Amino acid sequence: MHELSIAEQILDIATDHTAREGVASVREIELEIGTLSGIEIDALTFALDVVTKNTVLDGTKVTIIDVPAKARCESCGEEFLLEDYFSPCPACGAFQSETLQGQELRVKSLIVDE
Ligand SMILES: [Zn+2]
């Protein structure tokens, strides 16, 4: 399961961070997930629940921030929101566009107890 390895990576990041900062637990973690990332939020939430048992992320509130997909048209330079990979440019109708955001998954912040 794809989401399980993502959950493990998130846990790794949190473990590294808390070890460096010398804190025992994380109150809240914010994740930015692009709408084109292909990640199932429900599956990821479930995977996180499983892998974080008895870790620094046990009981941590997980906040997920959806990052809308954005693209720039290669013909006219218009920037627009992508519904999916096959959305044409709303200004000129061209299908060639460069994806600017929406594929990411990153840990935006970790809020730790002092
Ligand atoms: Zn265009």
Side-chain angles (χ1 to χ4, degrees):
M1 190 166 88
H2 185 50
E3 280 77 7
L4 194 58
S5 63
I6 294 166
E8 281 167 349
Q9 284 167 32
I10 292 167
L11 177 60
D12 278 351
I13 293 169
T15 307
D16 277 359
H17 183 81
T18 50
R20 225 175 17 240
E21 302 288 315
V23 293
S25 67
V26 179
R27 184 158 12 123
E28 183 176 350
I29 185 167
E30 285 184 325
L31 306 175
E32 281 188 334
I33 299 179
T35 53
L36 292 181
S37 64
I39 294 165
E40 294 265 358
I41 307 290
D42 285 351
L44 180 62
T45 308
F46 177 77
L48 274 171
D49 229 40
V50 174
V51 300
T52 59
K53 284 270 173 294
N54 302 317
T55 71
V56 292
L57 288 183
D58 200 349
T60 298
K61 179 174 181 241
V62 179
T63 301
I64 289 169
I65 300 158
D66 283 329
V67 179
K70 236 166 84 175
R72 185 190 293 120
C73 175
E74 286 180 7
S75 302
C76 73
E78 175 85 0
E79 285 186 18
F80 57 98
L81 291 176
L82 268 183
E83 299 280 314
D84 56 57
Y85 280 113
F86 309 106
S87 309
C89 168
C92 75
F95 280 90
Q96 298 292 337
S97 62
E98 176 198 354
T99 307
L100 301 176
Q101 64 171 41
Q103 294 165 305
E104 58 272 83
L105 167 100
R106 61 189 196 96
V107 176
K108 181 164 184 274
S109 66
L110 286 167
I111 299 157
V112 297
D113 288 317
E114 295 300 316

